[in-house]
Amino acid sequence: GTDFSRIDGTGANGVMLVGEGSGEMEARDGLPFRPYAPAGSLLERTFRRMRMSREQFSITNIIRCRPRNNWLENSPWEHSAINHCRPNLDAAIADRRPRAIVALGGTALRELTGMAGEARGIGHLAGYVLPLARIVKVSCDDHSDGNCFMCGGSGFVDGRVAESIPVIGNFHPAFLRRGKASLQGLFARILNRAVNIAAGKDTSWLWNVDP
């Protein structure tokens, strides 16, 4: 794409919001979730109700440009586009060092946590705190020649390593606009929980802690 978007906001509150990809207005401005775009306007209203500003967050997307035909999920180029842009997401997380990440939508949740499949979509996992899963290269033991369908003969496949950054699943604002306005209260509560986690006020999610 020629419409690569920058990360919006300062991330002063320690929360990073990660969506899916740019829309028409986001591609034009080179920034994610524009306040006057359909999904961005709902996010902006939620910030105002919470008495917060978008500048306090770090806001980005899984892919930092506009997908072909505005279509990413279940498209033929979904995984190739995401894998191509993954280093940009990893660099954004390393640079901003968020204390909590909100995955907006099922695609973002899958890419950030590795959770996918039956009963592991955003409808089931919204509001739950999960560990960030970083993609690493691991050895492929199954290939015997260059025709290996797993690694293509390279000897390595993508694996995932869990990291301690908490990821909270939330609905994508575009989903709420498509007839799910009743979930706006839950959407705001999940954002608020992420802010509390980043501030150290919510510790009920902590893993491997003996009560």
Side-chain angles (χ1 to χ4, degrees):
T2 58
D3 47 14
F4 189 76
S5 65
R6 305 182 301 278
I7 303 173
D8 200 8
T10 64
N13 64 5
V15 178
M16 175 176 278
L17 309 182
V18 181
E20 187 175 291
S22 296
E24 180 182 357
M25 296 176 186
E26 287 79 10
R28 185 180 64 196
D29 289 358
L31 288 166
F33 290 103
R34 303 316 295 138
Y36 46 83
S41 62
L42 189 147
L43 187 61
E44 192 70 20
R45 288 197 303 273
T46 303
F47 289 151
R48 287 201 298 267
R49 290 185 185 123
M50 296 170 65
R51 292 184 173 85
M52 295 181 179
S53 79
R54 66 188 294 116
E55 283 301 310
Q56 295 175 276
F57 296 82
S58 296
I59 308 175
T60 188
N61 283 308
I62 290 294
I63 64 169
R64 301 266 288 272
C65 61
R66 185 183 185 189
R68 189 186 310 168
N69 302 327
N70 263 8
W71 180 26
L72 182 64
E73 189 176 6
N74 298 324
S75 68
W77 51 81
E78 176 182 6
H79 295 289
S80 60
I82 289 173
N83 289 337
H84 180 77
C85 206
R86 181 73 195 209
N88 297 315
L89 178 62
D90 291 341
I93 294 172
D95 178 58
R96 294 300 178 98
R97 300 177 67 181
R99 297 185 294 276
I101 300 174
V102 179
L104 297 174
T107 300
L109 182 69
R110 182 193 69 209
E111 293 305 313
L112 289 167
T113 67
M115 292 289 186
E118 187 176 356
R120 287 188 170 192
I122 195 67
H124 290 87
L125 297 179
Y128 284 90
V129 183
L130 304 164
L132 173 70
R134 181 168 55 91
I135 295 178
V136 296
K137 296 291 184 181
V138 296
S139 297
C140 174
D141 298 325
D142 297 328
H143 77 282
S144 56
D145 55 40
N147 295 320
C148 172
F149 75 95
M150 290 289 291
C151 69
S154 68
F156 296 94
V157 294
D158 286 342
R160 290 180 184 265
V161 173
E163 293 188 348
S164 59
I165 300 176
V167 177
I168 306 98
N170 204 351
F171 301 101
H172 196 284
F175 175 72
L176 301 187
R177 286 187 64 89
R178 293 195 295 266
K180 297 295 182 180
S182 60
L183 296 174
Q184 288 188 31
L186 178 58
F187 179 82
R189 285 197 295 274
I190 293 172
L191 283 184
N192 191 62
R193 185 179 191 197
V195 172
N196 287 335
I197 287 173
K201 297 177 181 178
D202 183 342
T203 58
S204 62
W205 59 275
L206 288 169
W207 306 295
N208 303 320
V209 175
D210 188 338

